[in-house]
Amino acid sequence: AIKEYVSTETTRVSQALLAMQKELSAERDRYMAENQGQNAIDAGQHFQKFARETAQKYFQEGGFSGRFAEMFNKQAAGTALHFTEQGQAYGRQQKAAWEDSVITGDIEDFQSLAAQNYNNPELIEFNRLALRERIENMRPGMDNRALLSRIDEGAAESIISGYLSHDDIKGARGALNEYRGLLGDKVNAVELQIRNRADALEAKARAEAERAQNQAAAQLGISLFQQYGNNAESVQEQIGKIKDPVIQEKAIQSYLTQQGLHERLQQQAEVQKKAAVYNDGVSQTEAVLKDPNLTYEQKNSRLAEILAGISDPKMRKSVADYQDFSINGVEAPVNDRILADAQSYAAQPG
């Protein structure tokens, strides 16, 4: 009977301890899921209180006495201690994460302020010292040298970036000289950044100057052709007044381009004019030949009048050949190029 009693009570103690452990584990998971950062700073106290109350609950429910009460309390105390240590560790972890988040945000805000007020050293220095003081108070007794160095380094980078964002290379170089000691091993990278930005701005300035020069020279060439046309002597006289040989050469090229374009337009207009004359002569010829009210003599007279009205000898001969072909059925020796130009012109819209 005694052995049976010992076995039963020991089993009940184990059952109570197991139930207590499950409840503690469930509470741990719930608390960690619902509380992070600032809200978890008191995790150690919460875990300790919950473990104590839970152990007391299962002890009372079990009604243990004697050595079985001692057995339960001894194991429950160890379980509660471990549970409390878990809460304390979680609280420290979340407090550190919360502080890191706050400090990171503080640093980012300060760097943004430094970049926006890059040319206001008094404001930057005031906020830098205030931030350093806050960090020392948030992390008492800790080695903050690396963190404070990071703040100084970030401030120097932000100030220089502020100058560069406003294309102030001189200001950026001055800031580099002033804050070189704060940049640490980033000095070379920042120097390269300034040099690259300076090179980019110089290239941009050269490109803009060249573009403006090209536009001015192009406009000068256009004006010369509009004013003097093909009068080479007058054009040369005006070109000679230009002192810059580069602009002079570009102006000449612009003038020659305008001259060539004008010549091509004239040639095209001449071709179109000839094509129009030929087409008109052909149309009039066909109208005369198809007119049933005209006699043979009248048709010959009208055809002669059509030819007489064409001043260009080549076009007159081409139309005459067409008339001969239409009347006699003999293939007209029409100039192939003129015919092709005429057909192309006739096919144009309108």
Side-chain angles (χ1 to χ4, degrees), residues 21 72 74 98 101 137 181 208-209 249 319 321 333 335 337:
Q21 182 62 58
F72 176 87
K74 181 179 180 181
W98 171 53
S101 175
N137 291 333
E208 290 178 348
E249 179 62 27
V319 174
D321 289 341
N335 184 291
R337 184 181 62 77

Side-chain angles (χ1 to χ4, degrees), residues 49 54-55 84 126 186 199 245 261 278 292 299:
K49 181 172 181 280
T54 304
T84 299
F126 173 81
K186 289 190 175 182
D199 291 344
L261 177 61
Y278 178 81
K299 287 183 179 183

Side-chain angles (χ1 to χ4, degrees), residues 177-248:
N177 292 332
E178 182 176 354
Y179 300 111
R180 181 180 295 272
L182 301 181
L183 287 170
D185 58 3
K186 289 190 175 182
V187 170
N188 292 337
V190 173
E191 285 182 331
L192 180 60
Q193 182 183 10
I194 295 174
R195 187 160 57 250
N196 289 342
R197 184 59 179 164
D199 291 344
L201 290 175
E202 289 176 4
K204 180 181 178 182
R206 286 195 301 270
E208 290 178 348
E210 185 175 0
R211 183 163 53 251
Q213 185 184 75
N214 290 340
Q215 290 175 347
Q219 187 58 48
L220 179 58
I222 293 172
S223 299
L224 288 174
F225 184 78
Q226 290 176 342
Q227 186 172 357
Y228 300 104
N230 292 321
N231 189 335
E233 184 178 347
S234 297
V235 171
Q236 285 292 343
E237 180 182 353
Q238 297 301 318
I239 292 291
K241 296 178 181 179
I242 301 174
K243 303 303 181 183
D244 190 324
V246 175
I247 298 179
Q248 188 180 78

Side-chain angles (χ1 to χ4, degrees), residues 262-278 310-315 337-338 341-342 345:
H262 180 71
E263 289 177 357
R264 287 194 298 274
L265 290 175
Q266 282 188 321
Q267 291 171 359
Q268 184 179 1
E270 185 64 24
V271 169
Q272 291 177 348
K273 180 180 177 182
K274 289 181 179 180
V277 169
Y278 178 81
I310 300 175
S311 59
D312 188 302
K314 291 183 178 180
M315 288 297 99
R337 184 181 62 77
I338 294 177
D341 290 338
Y345 178 71

Side-chain angles (χ1 to χ4, degrees), residues 85-345:
E85 290 174 345
Q86 285 183 314
Q88 291 170 343
Y90 181 70
R92 288 192 298 271
Q93 177 196 37
Q94 292 301 305
K95 182 175 185 294
W98 171 53
E99 289 177 348
D100 287 345
S101 175
V102 172
I103 289 173
T104 299
D106 245 353
I107 293 174
E108 290 176 352
D109 286 346
F110 171 65
Q111 290 177 344
S112 176
L113 178 141
Q116 293 173 7
N117 300 275
Y118 62 95
N119 56 353
N120 190 340
E122 293 82 6
L123 177 64
I124 294 173
E125 182 63 12
F126 173 81
N127 282 275
R128 186 179 75 88
L129 294 177
L131 177 57
R132 290 172 66 96
E133 182 180 0
R134 288 199 302 274
I135 289 176
E136 293 284 9
N137 291 333
M138 279 190 281
R139 297 162 54 92
M142 299 181 67
D143 186 357
N144 296 315
R145 286 176 296 179
L147 185 57
L148 297 177
S149 176
R150 173 184 158 198
I151 293 173
D152 294 341
E153 181 181 283
E157 283 190 281
S158 297
I159 293 170
I160 293 171
S161 295
Y163 279 105
L164 293 180
S165 67
H166 290 79
D167 297 338
D168 187 348
I169 301 300
K170 181 179 180 181
R173 286 171 174 158
L176 173 63
N177 292 332
E178 182 176 354
Y179 300 111
R180 181 180 295 272
L182 301 181
L183 287 170
D185 58 3
K186 289 190 175 182
V187 170
N188 292 337
V190 173
E191 285 182 331
L192 180 60
Q193 182 183 10
I194 295 174
R195 187 160 57 250
N196 289 342
R197 184 59 179 164
D199 291 344
L201 290 175
E202 289 176 4
K204 180 181 178 182
R206 286 195 301 270
E208 290 178 348
E210 185 175 0
R211 183 163 53 251
Q213 185 184 75
N214 290 340
Q215 290 175 347
Q219 187 58 48
L220 179 58
I222 293 172
S223 299
L224 288 174
F225 184 78
Q226 290 176 342
Q227 186 172 357
Y228 300 104
N230 292 321
N231 189 335
E233 184 178 347
S234 297
V235 171
Q236 285 292 343
E237 180 182 353
Q238 297 301 318
I239 292 291
K241 296 178 181 179
I242 301 174
K243 303 303 181 183
D244 190 324
V246 175
I247 298 179
Q248 188 180 78
E249 179 62 27
K250 290 181 178 181
I252 292 173
Q253 291 301 321
S254 174
Y255 170 80
L256 294 176
T257 298
Q258 292 298 312
Q259 188 181 52
L261 177 61
H262 180 71
E263 289 177 357
R264 287 194 298 274
L265 290 175
Q266 282 188 321
Q267 291 171 359
Q268 184 179 1
E270 185 64 24
V271 169
Q272 291 177 348
K273 180 180 177 182
K274 289 181 179 180
V277 169
Y278 178 81
N279 286 336
D280 186 54
V282 169
S283 297
Q284 291 183 55
T285 296
E286 290 178 348
V288 168
L289 294 177
K290 291 178 182 180
D291 192 339
N293 298 319
L294 296 177
T295 65
Y296 178 77
E297 288 77 9
Q298 289 174 325
K299 287 183 179 183
N300 284 335
S301 177
R302 294 282 182 87
L303 292 175
E305 290 175 358
I306 292 172
L307 295 177
I310 300 175
S311 59
D312 188 302
K314 291 183 178 180
M315 288 297 99
R316 186 165 58 247
K317 184 177 184 308
S318 295
V319 174
D321 289 341
Y322 180 80
Q323 291 178 353
D324 185 54
F325 168 74
S326 299
I327 295 170
N328 302 316
V330 179
E331 185 174 356
V334 178
N335 184 291
D336 291 339
R337 184 181 62 77
I338 294 177
L339 179 59
D341 290 338
Q343 290 173 337
S344 174
Y345 178 71

